Amino acid sequence: MALTPRWMRRLLCRRRSGVSLVRRTSRPTPGQRDATQALYRATCARDEAQRQTREVEATAARLRAVREANHFAELFRSSMEGYR
């Protein structure tokens, strides 16, 4: 029974658990899928925040206009009635 050297056994018997030199491009790993999903969720959250910011700014502008109109109405009313 002759013992074969280790390097020869490695050449003759390929192990499946070893590191492959061929790059796999068929399917993403679970970590890559998780990262892609996290990026998608973050992008959606950013878009939603920007949309809400625009809505809030529009509402604030409307409230400012109403407050300003009310202020001018109060000034007009007080000028017509006299300064109590």
Side-chain angles (χ1 to χ4, degrees), residues 41-59:
R41 286 192 307 269
T43 304
C44 289
R46 184 193 65 209
D47 293 343
E48 178 68 19
Q50 287 176 347
R51 186 185 63 77
Q52 285 180 351
T53 300
R54 285 192 299 267
E55 289 176 356
V56 167
E57 287 174 353
T59 303

Side-chain angles (χ1 to χ4, degrees), residues 18-78:
V19 176
S20 175
L21 297 177
V22 178
R23 187 175 181 171
R24 292 186 209 163
T25 57
S26 60
R27 283 188 246 158
T29 64
Q32 289 170 334
R33 282 192 302 263
D34 291 343
T36 303
Q37 290 172 355
L39 178 63
Y40 177 73
R41 286 192 307 269
T43 304
C44 289
R46 184 193 65 209
D47 293 343
E48 178 68 19
Q50 287 176 347
R51 186 185 63 77
Q52 285 180 351
T53 300
R54 285 192 299 267
E55 289 176 356
V56 167
E57 287 174 353
T59 303
R62 272 186 259 133
L63 289 174
R64 257 185 255 114
V66 168
R67 186 178 63 218
E68 188 175 324
N70 191 23
H71 174 69
F72 287 131
E74 184 64 35
L75 286 177
F76 182 74
R77 198 175 306 118
S78 66

Side-chain angles (χ1 to χ4, degrees), residues 1-16:
M1 184 167 150
L3 295 175
T4 56
R6 186 175 182 184
W7 63 270
M8 196 177 288
R9 281 195 312 258
R10 285 186 178 173
L11 285 177
L12 296 174
C13 303
R14 292 185 177 235
R15 295 181 300 179
R16 292 203 181 263

